[in-house]
Amino acid sequence: MKKISIFGVGLIGGSFALALKSAGAVAQVVGMGRSAASLERAKELGIIDSIGSSVAEAVDGADLILVAAPVAQTEQILASMAPHLQPGTVVTDAGSTKSDVVAAARKALGGKIAQFVPGHPIAGREQNGPEAAIVDLYIGKKVVLAPLPENTAEDVARVASAWRLCGAIIHQLTPQEHDRVFAAVSHLPHLLAYALVDDIAKKPHADLLFQYAASGFRDFTRIAGSSPEMWRDISLANQAALLGELDAYMTQLAQLRAMLAEADGGALEAVYANAQRARHNWICTIEAAEQQNRQGGD
């Protein structure tokens, strides 16, 4: 690709740029964003080659555009580029929700909706900003594409190819399937981690509690170090599915509380054992897939 433009040059967008540069897949990377300081830092770090002087300049002649900003900003960003979007340019995103992003894209792009291919890289770190970007973030990680009926096979293939060059493995879901799945395995865990840390921090003896918090607490709450703005937007964007998962989890907690109150050790152990088996099977599946990917790469 001669030129790609990235709206949002933090962890996700910055890592995408670094990976494509490392693969020798792009000649020029243009950055856009709200923070001049972040853009300058991204340029200093070699993540981007130049800062777009305007949306029109950033979009002009781009083969691929990645929107890697909080999902609530998607409509505004797409609307700003719509008048300048030329045939042959493909736009994708990295948002953690898809139904709302698709609705925003349809509203913002109108007749140019066919040029937008929704996507979501399943990778991240608790750090934010350009300094958090790393070249190998996506190696072996899944990227979910949620193509629209209007998308051409060639445009979907261009987006998929870019992510593969970053080392990612491509999957496809509908926007609705995506949001139901990630409400359960991503959005709810983030909500729970934030809630636990916030609860501990508000206690009068919080300093003492944090003093003795060890690896289990650190591992469980790692994702509470993620961007509050981003996860606020994700939570609200996937509100219905997330509420359903939260209600189911609260039912599970109520059952566990009853078991504990009744000192029903057998019931508690049964829940713990089922969870242990399920997690073990999941980890084995992941390790087998990683082994297969390594063999395929060899």
Side-chain angles (χ1 to χ4, degrees), residues 142-159:
K142 296 180 180 69
V143 169
V144 176
L145 299 184
L148 305 177
E150 295 90 342
N151 294 146
T152 66
E154 292 76 14
D155 286 351
V156 175
R158 184 184 302 181
V159 176

Side-chain angles (χ1 to χ4, degrees), residues 18 40 42 50 65 103 140 148 155 172 178 197 209 219 241 290 298:
L18 288 175
E40 289 291 349
S50 63
I65 299 172
L148 305 177
D155 286 351
Q172 286 195 18
H178 172 280
V197 178
L209 296 175
D219 293 345
E290 290 175 346
D298 295 339

Side-chain angles (χ1 to χ4, degrees), residues 4-14 16 30-33 55 58-59 64-82 85 89-98 101 104-105 108-109 115-121 138 159 163 230:
I4 66 168
S5 294
I6 298 179
F7 285 69
V9 294
L11 169 65
I12 298 300
F16 182 73
V30 178
M32 293 290 289
V55 173
V59 171
L64 182 65
I65 299 172
L66 173 67
V67 178
V71 289
Q73 299 175 29
T74 302
E75 184 177 335
Q76 178 184 355
I77 291 172
L78 293 178
S80 71
M81 70 174 69
L85 197 57
T89 296
V90 180
V91 184
T92 189
D93 79 305
S96 295
T97 54
K98 293 275 73 79
V101 164
L109 297 177
Q115 293 175 250
F116 179 72
V117 180
H120 176 201
Y138 301 114
V159 176
W163 284 114
M230 180 178 74

Side-chain angles (χ1 to χ4, degrees), residues 89-257:
T89 296
V90 180
V91 184
T92 189
D93 79 305
S96 295
T97 54
K98 293 275 73 79
S99 297
D100 64 310
V101 164
V102 170
R106 290 190 180 282
K107 183 177 179 182
L109 297 177
K112 297 181 179 180
I113 187 62
Q115 293 175 250
F116 179 72
V117 180
H120 176 201
I122 315 305
R125 306 169 71 197
E126 57 268 33
Q127 294 93 348
N128 306 302
E131 291 85 357
I134 53 175
V135 69
D136 58 353
L137 180 66
Y138 301 114
I139 293 177
K141 300 299 194 300
K142 296 180 180 69
V143 169
V144 176
L145 299 184
L148 305 177
E150 295 90 342
N151 294 146
T152 66
E154 292 76 14
D155 286 351
V156 175
R158 184 184 302 181
V159 176
S161 176
W163 284 114
R164 286 193 183 100
L165 286 166
C166 296
I169 302 163
I170 305 302
H171 290 246
Q172 286 195 18
L173 294 171
T174 68
Q176 295 75 24
E177 289 171 336
H178 172 280
D179 290 353
R180 287 194 297 269
V181 166
F182 286 95
V185 299
S186 176
H187 307 167
L188 178 64
H190 277 81
L191 184 151
L192 299 178
Y194 282 122
L196 177 60
V197 178
D198 182 62
D199 179 58
I200 296 292
K202 288 178 177 177
K203 293 182 185 296
H205 56 312
D207 290 345
L208 179 65
L209 296 175
F210 281 124
Q211 179 182 345
Y212 289 99
S215 58
F217 184 84
R218 183 183 64 239
D219 293 345
F220 183 81
T221 62
R222 177 187 61 81
I223 52 179
S226 304
S227 165
E229 178 189 14
M230 180 178 74
W231 281 98
R232 173 204 65 196
D233 290 350
I234 291 169
S235 299
L236 294 175
N238 205 19
Q239 182 188 52
L242 182 53
L243 282 171
E245 293 299 331
L246 182 59
D247 288 343
Y249 191 78
M250 290 172 68
T251 298
Q252 174 80 335
L253 288 179
Q255 293 171 350
L256 284 169
R257 189 189 189 287

